[in-house]
Short mmCIF file of all heavy atoms in Angstrom, two decimals:
data_model
loop_
_atom_site.label_atom_id
_atom_site.label_comp_id
_atom_site.label_asym_id
_atom_site.label_seq_id
_atom_site.Cartn_x
_atom_site.Cartn_y
_atom_site.Cartn_z
N MET A 1 91.38 120.57 111.24
CA MET A 1 91.84 121.23 110.03
C MET A 1 90.92 122.38 109.63
O MET A 1 89.70 122.25 109.69
CB MET A 1 91.95 120.22 108.89
CG MET A 1 93.04 119.18 109.08
SD MET A 1 94.70 119.90 108.97
CE MET A 1 94.71 120.44 107.26
N GLN A 2 91.51 123.49 109.21
CA GLN A 2 90.72 124.68 108.90
C GLN A 2 91.08 125.36 107.58
O GLN A 2 90.25 126.06 107.01
CB GLN A 2 90.88 125.71 110.03
CG GLN A 2 90.33 125.24 111.36
CD GLN A 2 90.53 126.27 112.46
OE1 GLN A 2 90.93 127.41 112.20
NE2 GLN A 2 90.27 125.87 113.69
N ASP A 3 92.31 125.18 107.11
CA ASP A 3 92.73 125.94 105.93
C ASP A 3 91.87 125.59 104.72
O ASP A 3 91.58 124.42 104.46
CB ASP A 3 94.19 125.67 105.61
CG ASP A 3 94.72 126.65 104.58
OD1 ASP A 3 95.19 127.73 104.98
OD2 ASP A 3 94.62 126.37 103.37
N LYS A 4 91.52 126.61 103.96
CA LYS A 4 90.60 126.42 102.84
C LYS A 4 91.29 126.46 101.48
O LYS A 4 90.66 126.21 100.45
CB LYS A 4 89.49 127.47 102.89
CG LYS A 4 88.63 127.36 104.14
CD LYS A 4 87.53 128.40 104.16
CE LYS A 4 86.64 128.23 105.40
NZ LYS A 4 85.54 129.22 105.43
N THR A 5 92.59 126.78 101.45
CA THR A 5 93.24 126.92 100.14
C THR A 5 94.56 126.16 100.11
O THR A 5 94.62 124.98 100.39
CB THR A 5 93.44 128.41 99.80
OG1 THR A 5 94.19 129.06 100.85
CG2 THR A 5 92.10 129.13 99.66
N PHE A 6 95.66 126.87 99.80
CA PHE A 6 96.94 126.23 99.54
C PHE A 6 97.67 125.77 100.79
O PHE A 6 98.66 125.05 100.69
CB PHE A 6 97.86 127.18 98.77
CG PHE A 6 97.29 127.71 97.49
CD1 PHE A 6 97.12 129.08 97.31
CD2 PHE A 6 96.92 126.87 96.46
CE1 PHE A 6 96.61 129.58 96.13
CE2 PHE A 6 96.40 127.35 95.28
CZ PHE A 6 96.25 128.71 95.11
N GLY A 7 97.23 126.20 101.96
CA GLY A 7 97.95 125.88 103.19
C GLY A 7 97.56 124.56 103.81
O GLY A 7 98.04 124.22 104.91
N TRP A 8 96.71 123.80 103.14
CA TRP A 8 96.15 122.57 103.72
C TRP A 8 97.22 121.57 104.15
O TRP A 8 97.22 121.10 105.29
CB TRP A 8 95.19 121.93 102.72
CG TRP A 8 94.64 120.60 103.15
CD1 TRP A 8 95.16 119.37 102.89
CD2 TRP A 8 93.46 120.39 103.94
NE1 TRP A 8 94.38 118.39 103.47
CE2 TRP A 8 93.34 118.99 104.11
CE3 TRP A 8 92.50 121.22 104.51
CZ2 TRP A 8 92.28 118.42 104.81
CZ3 TRP A 8 91.45 120.64 105.22
CH2 TRP A 8 91.36 119.26 105.37
N THR A 9 98.14 121.25 103.25
CA THR A 9 99.11 120.20 103.57
C THR A 9 100.06 120.63 104.68
O THR A 9 100.35 119.85 105.59
CB THR A 9 99.92 119.79 102.32
OG1 THR A 9 100.56 120.93 101.77
CG2 THR A 9 99.01 119.17 101.27
N VAL A 10 100.53 121.87 104.62
CA VAL A 10 101.47 122.31 105.65
C VAL A 10 100.76 122.48 106.99
O VAL A 10 101.35 122.20 108.04
CB VAL A 10 102.19 123.61 105.22
CG1 VAL A 10 101.28 124.81 105.23
CG2 VAL A 10 103.41 123.85 106.11
N GLU A 11 99.49 122.87 106.98
CA GLU A 11 98.75 122.95 108.25
C GLU A 11 98.69 121.58 108.91
O GLU A 11 98.91 121.45 110.12
CB GLU A 11 97.33 123.47 108.01
CG GLU A 11 96.52 123.55 109.30
CD GLU A 11 95.03 123.77 109.11
OE1 GLU A 11 94.57 123.79 107.95
OE2 GLU A 11 94.32 123.91 110.12
N MET A 12 98.41 120.56 108.12
CA MET A 12 98.33 119.21 108.68
C MET A 12 99.65 118.79 109.30
O MET A 12 99.70 118.23 110.41
CB MET A 12 97.90 118.21 107.61
CG MET A 12 97.63 116.82 108.15
SD MET A 12 97.22 115.62 106.84
CE MET A 12 95.69 116.30 106.20
N GLN A 13 100.76 119.08 108.61
CA GLN A 13 102.06 118.65 109.11
C GLN A 13 102.52 119.45 110.33
O GLN A 13 103.07 118.90 111.27
CB GLN A 13 103.09 118.71 107.98
CG GLN A 13 102.91 117.56 107.00
CD GLN A 13 103.63 117.73 105.68
OE1 GLN A 13 103.01 117.97 104.66
NE2 GLN A 13 104.94 117.62 105.70
N VAL A 14 102.25 120.75 110.33
CA VAL A 14 102.62 121.56 111.49
C VAL A 14 101.79 121.15 112.71
O VAL A 14 102.32 121.00 113.82
CB VAL A 14 102.44 123.06 111.18
CG1 VAL A 14 102.51 123.88 112.47
CG2 VAL A 14 103.50 123.53 110.20
N LYS A 15 100.50 120.93 112.51
CA LYS A 15 99.66 120.52 113.64
C LYS A 15 100.04 119.12 114.12
O LYS A 15 99.99 118.85 115.33
CB LYS A 15 98.18 120.59 113.24
CG LYS A 15 97.65 122.01 113.17
CD LYS A 15 96.16 122.04 112.89
CE LYS A 15 95.59 123.44 113.05
NZ LYS A 15 94.12 123.50 112.77
N ALA A 16 100.42 118.25 113.20
CA ALA A 16 100.89 116.93 113.62
C ALA A 16 102.14 117.04 114.48
O ALA A 16 102.30 116.33 115.48
CB ALA A 16 101.18 116.07 112.38
N ALA A 17 103.03 117.97 114.11
CA ALA A 17 104.23 118.20 114.90
C ALA A 17 103.87 118.73 116.29
O ALA A 17 104.41 118.27 117.30
CB ALA A 17 105.15 119.19 114.19
N LYS A 18 102.96 119.70 116.34
CA LYS A 18 102.58 120.29 117.62
C LYS A 18 101.87 119.29 118.54
O LYS A 18 101.98 119.36 119.76
CB LYS A 18 101.69 121.51 117.38
CG LYS A 18 102.40 122.67 116.69
CD LYS A 18 101.52 123.88 116.53
CE LYS A 18 101.27 124.59 117.84
NZ LYS A 18 100.59 125.89 117.65
N HIS A 19 101.14 118.35 117.92
CA HIS A 19 100.42 117.35 118.71
C HIS A 19 101.27 116.10 118.98
O HIS A 19 100.76 115.12 119.53
CB HIS A 19 99.13 116.94 117.98
CG HIS A 19 98.02 117.93 118.09
ND1 HIS A 19 98.03 119.15 117.44
CD2 HIS A 19 96.86 117.88 118.79
CE1 HIS A 19 96.92 119.81 117.72
NE2 HIS A 19 96.20 119.07 118.53
N LYS A 20 102.52 116.14 118.58
CA LYS A 20 103.45 115.04 118.84
C LYS A 20 103.01 113.73 118.19
O LYS A 20 103.16 112.64 118.75
CB LYS A 20 103.63 114.81 120.35
CG LYS A 20 103.96 116.06 121.15
CD LYS A 20 105.32 116.62 120.78
CE LYS A 20 105.70 117.79 121.69
NZ LYS A 20 106.93 118.47 121.27
N PHE A 21 102.46 113.82 117.00
CA PHE A 21 102.06 112.62 116.29
C PHE A 21 103.30 111.81 115.89
O PHE A 21 104.36 112.37 115.63
CB PHE A 21 101.29 112.97 115.01
CG PHE A 21 99.88 113.45 115.24
CD1 PHE A 21 99.35 113.60 116.51
CD2 PHE A 21 99.07 113.75 114.14
CE1 PHE A 21 98.05 114.05 116.70
CE2 PHE A 21 97.77 114.20 114.32
CZ PHE A 21 97.27 114.34 115.60
N ARG A 22 103.12 110.53 115.81
CA ARG A 22 104.15 109.66 115.25
C ARG A 22 103.95 109.63 113.73
O ARG A 22 102.87 109.27 113.25
CB ARG A 22 104.05 108.25 115.83
CG ARG A 22 104.34 108.18 117.32
CD ARG A 22 104.43 106.74 117.81
NE ARG A 22 103.17 106.03 117.66
CZ ARG A 22 102.18 106.05 118.55
NH1 ARG A 22 102.30 106.77 119.66
NH2 ARG A 22 101.07 105.37 118.32
N PHE A 23 104.98 110.00 113.01
CA PHE A 23 104.84 110.04 111.56
C PHE A 23 106.10 109.51 110.90
O PHE A 23 107.17 109.43 111.50
CB PHE A 23 104.56 111.47 111.08
CG PHE A 23 105.71 112.42 111.27
CD1 PHE A 23 106.70 112.53 110.30
CD2 PHE A 23 105.81 113.19 112.42
CE1 PHE A 23 107.77 113.40 110.49
CE2 PHE A 23 106.87 114.04 112.62
CZ PHE A 23 107.86 114.15 111.64
N THR A 24 105.95 109.17 109.63
CA THR A 24 107.08 108.76 108.83
C THR A 24 106.80 109.14 107.38
O THR A 24 105.72 109.63 107.05
CB THR A 24 107.36 107.24 108.96
OG1 THR A 24 108.60 106.93 108.36
CG2 THR A 24 106.25 106.42 108.32
N GLU A 25 107.78 108.91 106.52
CA GLU A 25 107.63 109.16 105.10
C GLU A 25 108.00 107.90 104.32
O GLU A 25 108.79 107.09 104.79
CB GLU A 25 108.54 110.31 104.64
CG GLU A 25 108.20 111.65 105.27
CD GLU A 25 109.12 112.77 104.80
OE1 GLU A 25 110.27 112.47 104.39
OE2 GLU A 25 108.69 113.93 104.83
N ILE A 26 107.41 107.76 103.15
CA ILE A 26 107.84 106.72 102.22
C ILE A 26 108.31 107.41 100.94
O ILE A 26 107.86 108.52 100.62
CB ILE A 26 106.71 105.71 101.89
CG1 ILE A 26 105.57 106.40 101.14
CG2 ILE A 26 106.21 105.03 103.16
CD1 ILE A 26 104.65 105.44 100.43
N PRO A 27 109.23 106.80 100.19
CA PRO A 27 109.66 107.40 98.92
C PRO A 27 108.51 107.33 97.91
O PRO A 27 107.95 106.26 97.66
CB PRO A 27 110.84 106.53 98.48
CG PRO A 27 111.24 105.76 99.70
CD PRO A 27 110.00 105.60 100.51
N ALA A 28 108.18 108.48 97.34
CA ALA A 28 107.07 108.54 96.39
C ALA A 28 107.58 108.56 94.96
O ALA A 28 108.55 109.24 94.64
CB ALA A 28 106.23 109.79 96.64
N LYS A 29 106.90 107.81 94.10
CA LYS A 29 107.10 107.98 92.68
C LYS A 29 106.21 109.13 92.22
O LYS A 29 105.08 109.26 92.69
CB LYS A 29 106.75 106.69 91.93
CG LYS A 29 107.67 105.52 92.25
CD LYS A 29 107.43 104.35 91.32
CE LYS A 29 106.09 103.68 91.59
NZ LYS A 29 105.90 102.48 90.75
N TYR A 30 106.72 109.95 91.32
CA TYR A 30 105.98 111.16 90.93
C TYR A 30 106.26 111.46 89.46
O TYR A 30 107.40 111.48 89.04
CB TYR A 30 106.41 112.34 91.81
CG TYR A 30 105.46 113.50 91.83
CD1 TYR A 30 104.23 113.40 92.48
CD2 TYR A 30 105.78 114.70 91.20
CE1 TYR A 30 103.36 114.48 92.52
CE2 TYR A 30 104.91 115.79 91.24
CZ TYR A 30 103.71 115.67 91.90
OH TYR A 30 102.83 116.73 91.94
N ARG A 31 105.19 111.69 88.70
CA ARG A 31 105.32 111.92 87.27
C ARG A 31 104.68 113.25 86.88
O ARG A 31 103.99 113.89 87.69
CB ARG A 31 104.64 110.79 86.49
CG ARG A 31 103.16 110.68 86.76
CD ARG A 31 102.57 109.39 86.24
NE ARG A 31 101.42 109.00 87.05
CZ ARG A 31 101.01 107.76 87.26
NH1 ARG A 31 101.66 106.76 86.72
NH2 ARG A 31 99.97 107.50 88.03
N LYS A 32 104.90 113.64 85.64
CA LYS A 32 104.26 114.85 85.13
C LYS A 32 102.75 114.68 85.19
O LYS A 32 102.22 113.64 84.79
CB LYS A 32 104.68 115.11 83.68
CG LYS A 32 106.12 115.55 83.50
CD LYS A 32 106.40 115.81 82.03
CE LYS A 32 107.84 116.22 81.81
NZ LYS A 32 108.14 116.42 80.37
N ARG A 33 102.09 115.70 85.69
CA ARG A 33 100.64 115.65 85.81
C ARG A 33 99.99 115.72 84.43
O ARG A 33 100.60 116.17 83.46
CB ARG A 33 100.13 116.79 86.69
CG ARG A 33 100.50 118.18 86.19
CD ARG A 33 99.57 119.24 86.75
NE ARG A 33 98.23 119.08 86.19
CZ ARG A 33 97.12 119.27 86.88
NH1 ARG A 33 97.16 119.65 88.13
NH2 ARG A 33 95.94 119.11 86.31
N ILE A 34 98.76 115.29 84.35
CA ILE A 34 97.96 115.48 83.15
C ILE A 34 97.33 116.86 83.23
O ILE A 34 96.66 117.19 84.20
CB ILE A 34 96.87 114.40 83.01
CG1 ILE A 34 97.53 113.02 82.80
CG2 ILE A 34 95.93 114.72 81.87
CD1 ILE A 34 96.54 111.87 82.73
N GLY A 35 97.55 117.69 82.22
CA GLY A 35 97.02 119.05 82.24
C GLY A 35 97.98 120.02 82.90
O GLY A 35 99.11 119.68 83.26
N VAL A 36 97.53 121.26 83.07
CA VAL A 36 98.35 122.33 83.63
C VAL A 36 98.01 122.55 85.09
O VAL A 36 96.83 122.63 85.46
CB VAL A 36 98.14 123.65 82.85
CG1 VAL A 36 98.97 124.78 83.46
CG2 VAL A 36 98.51 123.47 81.38
N SER A 37 99.03 122.65 85.93
CA SER A 37 98.83 122.87 87.36
C SER A 37 98.17 124.21 87.62
O SER A 37 98.52 125.22 87.01
CB SER A 37 100.16 122.81 88.11
OG SER A 37 100.00 123.20 89.45
N LYS A 38 97.19 124.21 88.54
CA LYS A 38 96.53 125.46 88.92
C LYS A 38 97.40 126.29 89.85
O LYS A 38 97.15 127.48 90.07
CB LYS A 38 95.19 125.18 89.62
CG LYS A 38 94.11 124.60 88.70
CD LYS A 38 94.31 123.11 88.50
CE LYS A 38 93.20 122.50 87.64
NZ LYS A 38 93.48 121.10 87.32
N VAL A 39 98.44 125.67 90.41
CA VAL A 39 99.34 126.38 91.33
C VAL A 39 100.66 126.69 90.64
O VAL A 39 100.95 127.82 90.29
CB VAL A 39 99.58 125.54 92.61
CG1 VAL A 39 100.53 126.27 93.55
CG2 VAL A 39 98.25 125.27 93.31
N SER A 40 101.47 125.66 90.39
CA SER A 40 102.81 125.90 89.84
C SER A 40 102.78 126.23 88.36
O SER A 40 103.78 126.67 87.79
CB SER A 40 103.69 124.67 90.06
OG SER A 40 103.16 123.54 89.41
N GLY A 41 101.63 126.06 87.71
CA GLY A 41 101.53 126.33 86.29
C GLY A 41 101.45 127.81 85.95
O GLY A 41 101.55 128.18 84.78
N THR A 42 101.26 128.68 86.95
CA THR A 42 101.21 130.12 86.71
C THR A 42 102.07 130.84 87.74
O THR A 42 102.25 130.35 88.86
CB THR A 42 99.76 130.66 86.80
OG1 THR A 42 99.30 130.53 88.16
CG2 THR A 42 98.82 129.90 85.88
N VAL A 43 102.59 132.00 87.36
CA VAL A 43 103.38 132.80 88.30
C VAL A 43 102.53 133.22 89.48
O VAL A 43 102.95 133.13 90.65
CB VAL A 43 103.97 134.04 87.58
CG1 VAL A 43 104.66 134.95 88.58
CG2 VAL A 43 104.95 133.60 86.50
N ARG A 44 101.32 133.67 89.18
CA ARG A 44 100.42 134.12 90.26
C ARG A 44 100.11 132.98 91.24
O ARG A 44 100.16 133.16 92.46
CB ARG A 44 99.12 134.66 89.67
CG ARG A 44 98.14 135.18 90.72
CD ARG A 44 96.90 135.78 90.05
NE ARG A 44 96.00 136.35 91.03
CZ ARG A 44 95.04 135.67 91.66
NH1 ARG A 44 94.87 134.38 91.38
NH2 ARG A 44 94.26 136.26 92.55
N GLY A 45 99.82 131.80 90.69
CA GLY A 45 99.51 130.66 91.54
C GLY A 45 100.69 130.27 92.42
O GLY A 45 100.52 129.94 93.60
#
């Protein structure tokens, strides 16, 4: 892994695909975060 900013999660998934990893997903529960998002909370982010 090398990405230093927002590309971290997608880098992991793309590299997992390229390396033919066995993967799966589970349904996640997800709620409103505490505080303001540094990414989706601003247009620039």
Side-chain angles (χ1 to χ4, degrees):
M1 292 292 295
Q2 296 179 9
D3 192 88
K4 297 181 178 181
T5 56
F6 305 120
W8 175 269
T9 56
V10 71
E11 180 193 4
M12 187 183 296
Q13 285 165 252
V14 167
K15 286 185 170 179
K18 294 183 72 171
H19 283 72
K20 309 294 186 187
F21 286 2
R22 295 188 296 275
F23 68 87
T24 191
E25 296 180 335
I26 65 162
K29 294 189 291 184
Y30 199 71
R31 61 193 151 209
K32 290 181 181 178
R33 58 158 292 142
I34 294 177
V36 178
S37 172
K38 291 80 177 174
V39 179
S40 61
T42 67
V43 174
R44 181 177 184 272

